[in-house]
Amino acid sequence: MTGNLYRGQAGLPFSSTLRVYEPLEAFPEEQRAAIQAAGARTASRAAVENAELLASLGRITRSGGDPFPTGRTDLVRVTTAPAPEAGTADAGADAGQVLLYCPSQLVLRAGLAANALMEGIHGPLAELLIPEEQRDRHQERIDLVKARDGSIRVHTRASTWGIPFSWFSLFMESDQKDVVESAGRILTVRVWAPITEALERARYAVANLALAAPDLDMLDDLAQLTEWLELFHVDSMVELDYGAVADKVYPDESPMDIRLGIECLAEGDMTGAAAAYRRLASRWIPIRQLARAS
């Protein structure tokens, strides 16, 4: 069942994620052993994704009506990157490579998601789905995590039914990619960029949009994205994980369209900018419309 569940995504909405992987030294010293041990238990990325999905489905059907994660276990994703200097690789990494870690932080992320839901247009419905008693209980879990870990950087951002255009500004066509396929389907596509390069691209986009299109919603998204990335270690890696939507859009030229659109705006070429947006819209608006499909 587990393999099929991951491959089929259990009929859930398309979900894409933006993750930051940090070197072990970026985490508080008292957390490093647990993070390293959790990373060492990672059999494969497919196993991690499947375990997270199984856990989320289990919470939905949990007795007592509490849909929130308890924090008793937390998955950690691991990737490798070239070591900044020879001899700095973590134990277990290949020569010249350093291990980078991205904890799932489900307790914190579930709290943030619930707050966003309560503050949105579906707030009254959310109150029925997530009773106040359960929200209060989960806030106690969040308080415990914050008291234990202190200042916390949330390593993962998620989006359903499409990828925010601002995310594509962090990546280039030449960045490292991993296309995961099975039985003739694309399960996901993952794209990586060093955080220093992602930040440079985001700042370039912010600077040009601020001058050429200050009223564009994407400018606010990019400014928030830049502030978020600035929280992390300079040797971190940024990963865009398309998720199951990759099977609908890949090969995807969205990073190039975003880059060309911003360059056209900076040069005053409104025709070129409009053409780039049309390409993006034709690719992603049909995906977003699925959220309203019956």
Side-chain angles (χ1 to χ4, degrees):
M1 172 184 174
T2 55
N4 290 333
L5 184 63
Y6 170 62
R7 287 195 290 270
Q9 292 292 295
L12 296 174
F14 292 136
S15 179
S16 305
T17 50
L18 189 66
R19 301 186 180 98
V20 175
Y21 291 75
E22 290 192 287
L24 196 62
E25 68 214 51
F27 296 91
E29 189 171 354
E30 61 273 13
Q31 296 179 28
R32 294 175 188 173
I35 288 173
Q36 196 169 27
R41 292 193 299 269
T42 300
S44 67
R45 279 296 298 267
V48 172
E49 309 298 346
N50 189 66
E52 197 166 87
L53 181 57
L54 277 171
S56 67
L57 294 175
R59 290 193 296 272
I60 294 173
T61 58
R62 180 192 296 160
S63 61
D66 184 356
F68 291 103
T70 62
R72 283 192 290 268
T73 59
D74 199 17
L75 298 169
V76 175
R77 292 171 174 81
V78 183
T79 191
T80 59
E85 298 177 6
T88 61
D90 292 341
D94 295 333
Q97 297 285 307
V98 62
L99 294 177
L100 303 178
Y101 301 86
C102 178
S104 291
Q105 300 172 294
L106 291 178
V107 168
L108 292 175
R109 290 169 51 210
L112 292 171
N115 289 340
L117 187 62
M118 300 302 299
E119 295 168 3
I121 60 174
H122 300 300
L125 176 60
E127 291 181 4
L128 295 175
L129 296 175
I130 312 175
E132 183 177 0
E133 177 186 354
Q134 306 299 347
R135 297 198 304 273
D136 291 343
R137 183 182 302 173
H138 190 66
Q139 185 59 50
E140 294 175 1
R141 297 179 187 129
I142 293 174
D143 293 340
L144 286 173
V145 170
K146 290 183 175 179
R148 182 191 68 204
D149 298 340
S151 178
I152 299 171
R153 304 177 303 280
V154 178
H155 289 69
T156 302
R157 293 191 168 202
S159 175
T160 54
W161 299 119
I163 297 174
F165 291 166
S166 59
W167 292 9
F168 292 121
S169 68
L170 306 180
F171 302 94
M172 297 279 284
E173 307 91 282
S174 57
D175 287 335
Q176 180 184 350
K177 297 180 183 66
D178 183 17
V179 181
V180 183
E181 299 180 83
S182 177
R185 290 181 54 209
I186 299 177
L187 304 184
T188 189
V189 172
R190 302 187 185 106
V191 188
W192 292 275
I195 198 168
T196 51
E197 295 182 13
L199 267 169
E200 183 179 349
R201 295 162 185 172
R203 289 167 180 157
Y204 169 84
V206 167
N208 282 283
L209 288 180
L211 291 173
D215 297 327
L216 204 64
D217 290 341
M218 184 177 161
L219 178 58
D220 290 335
D221 293 343
L222 271 168
Q224 294 176 19
L225 200 57
T226 302
E227 292 175 359
W228 175 62
L229 292 176
E230 288 171 343
L231 298 174
F232 297 95
H233 193 281
V234 68
D235 294 327
S236 300
M237 189 75 68
V238 185
E239 174 193 82
L240 172 57
D241 189 339
Y242 277 66
V245 76
D247 195 53
K248 302 293 185 184
V249 300
Y250 199 78
D252 179 34
E253 296 181 339
S254 296
M256 181 179 68
D257 289 332
I258 286 291
R259 177 175 57 81
L260 292 177
I262 291 172
E263 290 175 354
C264 287
L265 284 174
E267 296 168 0
D269 179 5
M270 297 300 109
T271 301
Y277 177 77
R278 282 196 298 271
R279 291 192 296 270
L280 283 165
S282 66
R283 189 178 304 124
W284 290 103
I285 287 179
I287 300 296
R288 292 173 180 173
Q289 288 175 337
L290 293 174
R292 296 186 292 272
S294 59

